[in-house]
Amino acid sequence: MTGPRVVHLSPATFGSGGLFGGGERYALELARSMADVVPTRLVSFADRPRRERIGNLDVIVLGPPWYVRGQRLNPVHPSVIRHIAWANVVHCHQRFVLGGTLAAAACRLTGRRVFVSDLGGGGWDVSAYLPAVRHLYHGFLDISRYARSVANHDAEPRASVIYGGVDTEKFSPDPAVPREPLVVYAGRLLPHKGVDDLVAALPEGLSLELIGRPYHDRFLADLKRLAEGKRVTFRADCDDADLIRAYRRALCVVLPSVYRDRYGTESRVPELLGQTLIEGMACGTPAVCTDVASMPEIVEDGATGFVVAPNDPAALRSVLERFRDDTTAAARMGTAARQRVLDHFTWPAVVKRCLAAYNGERSAT
């Protein structure tokens, strides 16, 4: 197959309805970069329809959709068929939603190739009752080796690891911006993100900015209680420019996700990639993550940052103190972090892996 026309199908667009997450950003940025290579559309859903052009990418937002069982990330809209008819490849960015399954069935019926990446979450879908639905897809494009493993794709010949990327011109260091004694967390404020451990670990002499919207009232109240007497700022409304400035100012970016949160709830898949780690590293900022899920695939312990045990504020505090007390080493790790992103986590590299998979080539990753 040469010269594909590609539709990326995403349940929601980045920033819509108060969403602030790697999954929504992933679909948008991949589609935008792919549009520089082949004709590409991003089709998504919202209560109000719209259409816009971002660079070479056509973004089509269909609405208002039917939300299956009221689930906001499980939309269905009949106009999807028209956009499938335009494409010869459809890339779904959520596997366990009814809209994705219906799109896959439509592709099979009309002779189009269809692929899926699981970006986390999901909703009601017939695949829960009909396991054979997985055979509708020509390929599974997993965003990390961990994602491939938890999806039981290690021995699946249709599976490839494509990873994720970042716009390395937009997310980049700025020598004119001085580093501050600052730690940054970016993402949803949810218990499985382990943000409570980060607040508890914050040592004297450092500030912490928590960039992201709260989605759990009890957890937010607990975070504010833990933050009393510490230099912790909650920033719920940040755009990309604000986020990049924060990364550039910070000594490190931290993603402390856990399998078991403070309330005893287990999360089997707390992270499928760790997009904000990549963004911060692209800005020349070293990263700290827990030894959980996919994140050790991104952060090289001792080289581009540190990997620490989950649910261990003392271990987290120790590495934060190292950054505080040795800013030269932090800067050296930040340089290495930027280089690691350039070598492994750019959107053009992800596009190349996707196009190879669309052509039936399996990644050796």
Side-chain angles (χ1 to χ4, degrees), residues 239-309:
D239 59 17
D240 271 4
D242 295 325
L243 184 61
I244 291 168
R245 279 193 293 270
Y247 287 144
R248 289 171 172 172
R249 292 164 44 228
L251 278 182
C252 62
V253 57
V254 182
L255 187 53
S257 299
V258 295
Y259 291 117
R260 185 180 179 87
D261 68 31
R262 67 185 288 114
Y263 309 116
T265 302
E266 298 282 349
S267 180
R268 178 171 171 262
V269 188
E271 300 291 342
L272 285 171
L273 183 61
Q275 186 70 29
T276 58
L277 294 173
I278 299 173
E279 292 172 356
M281 290 166 62
C283 293
T285 306
V288 178
C289 70
T290 45
D291 188 9
V292 164
S294 56
M295 295 186 292
E297 298 177 48
I298 297 171
V299 181
E300 289 184 293
D301 186 40
T304 65
F306 294 104
V307 179
V308 302

Side-chain angles (χ1 to χ4, degrees), residues 59-123:
V59 178
I60 300 107
V61 180
L62 305 176
W66 170 50
Y67 293 107
V68 180
R69 297 191 173 184
Q71 297 165 347
R72 298 291 294 182
L73 293 181
N74 197 357
V76 174
H77 195 284
S79 293
V80 167
I81 298 299
R82 176 162 51 91
H83 299 289
I84 288 175
W86 172 84
N88 50 32
V89 172
V90 173
H91 188 154
C92 300
H93 289 275
Q94 181 50 266
R95 180 176 170 189
F96 300 107
V97 293
L98 183 60
T101 296
L102 293 176
C107 288
R108 283 289 188 172
L109 288 171
T110 58
R112 288 161 173 81
R113 292 178 65 77
V114 59
F115 299 82
V116 64
S117 294
D118 185 2
L119 303 183

Side-chain angles (χ1 to χ4, degrees), residues 25-329:
R25 181 189 289 279
Y26 187 100
L28 171 61
E29 296 297 339
L30 174 57
R32 186 165 67 174
S33 188
M34 190 170 288
D36 293 334
V37 182
V38 297
T40 305
R41 293 178 180 177
L42 173 64
V43 176
S44 190
F45 308 86
D47 291 334
R48 293 185 179 181
R50 72 177 193 277
R51 187 164 186 157
E52 62 182 303
R53 184 89 170 176
I54 303 176
N56 294 318
L57 175 68
D58 284 318
V59 178
I60 300 107
V61 180
L62 305 176
W66 170 50
Y67 293 107
V68 180
R69 297 191 173 184
Q71 297 165 347
R72 298 291 294 182
L73 293 181
N74 197 357
V76 174
H77 195 284
S79 293
V80 167
I81 298 299
R82 176 162 51 91
H83 299 289
I84 288 175
W86 172 84
N88 50 32
V89 172
V90 173
H91 188 154
C92 300
H93 289 275
Q94 181 50 266
R95 180 176 170 189
F96 300 107
V97 293
L98 183 60
T101 296
L102 293 176
C107 288
R108 283 289 188 172
L109 288 171
T110 58
R112 288 161 173 81
R113 292 178 65 77
V114 59
F115 299 82
V116 64
S117 294
D118 185 2
L119 303 183
W124 186 89
D125 182 33
V126 295
S127 63
Y129 309 98
L130 299 172
V133 164
R134 69 193 308 272
H135 296 295
L136 291 173
Y137 296 104
H138 291 88
F140 303 98
L141 306 185
D142 298 310
I143 63 175
S144 64
R145 293 194 303 273
Y146 173 79
R148 179 176 64 184
S149 178
V150 296
N152 296 317
H153 289 164
D154 287 331
E156 169 59 69
R158 292 173 294 160
S160 298
V161 176
I162 58 172
Y163 280 112
V166 68
D167 182 337
T168 54
E169 293 185 6
K170 182 177 180 180
F171 288 85
S172 61
D174 185 348
V177 177
R179 296 287 174 176
E180 301 174 16
L182 172 66
V183 177
V184 165
Y185 164 87
R188 293 179 172 95
L189 297 184
L190 287 168
H192 76 270
K193 293 291 189 178
V195 189
D196 50 316
D197 290 333
L198 176 56
V199 174
L202 187 68
E204 291 186 5
L206 291 180
S207 299
L208 170 63
E209 291 188 4
L210 301 178
I211 301 176
R213 295 195 174 187
Y215 290 83
H216 190 290
D217 291 342
R218 180 185 175 190
F219 187 57
L220 178 62
D222 285 340
L223 289 179
K224 290 183 175 180
R225 177 180 53 80
L226 288 168
E228 290 177 0
K230 297 187 175 187
R231 293 189 292 179
V232 178
T233 303
F234 292 80
R235 302 182 64 189
D237 295 302
C238 289
D239 59 17
D240 271 4
D242 295 325
L243 184 61
I244 291 168
R245 279 193 293 270
Y247 287 144
R248 289 171 172 172
R249 292 164 44 228
L251 278 182
C252 62
V253 57
V254 182
L255 187 53
S257 299
V258 295
Y259 291 117
R260 185 180 179 87
D261 68 31
R262 67 185 288 114
Y263 309 116
T265 302
E266 298 282 349
S267 180
R268 178 171 171 262
V269 188
E271 300 291 342
L272 285 171
L273 183 61
Q275 186 70 29
T276 58
L277 294 173
I278 299 173
E279 292 172 356
M281 290 166 62
C283 293
T285 306
V288 178
C289 70
T290 45
D291 188 9
V292 164
S294 56
M295 295 186 292
E297 298 177 48
I298 297 171
V299 181
E300 289 184 293
D301 186 40
T304 65
F306 294 104
V307 179
V308 302
N311 306 102
D312 191 343
L316 193 50
R317 183 181 301 112
S318 177
V319 298
L320 295 179
E321 289 172 340
R322 291 176 69 174
F323 284 129
R324 179 197 64 190
D325 298 338
D326 192 348
T327 55
T328 300

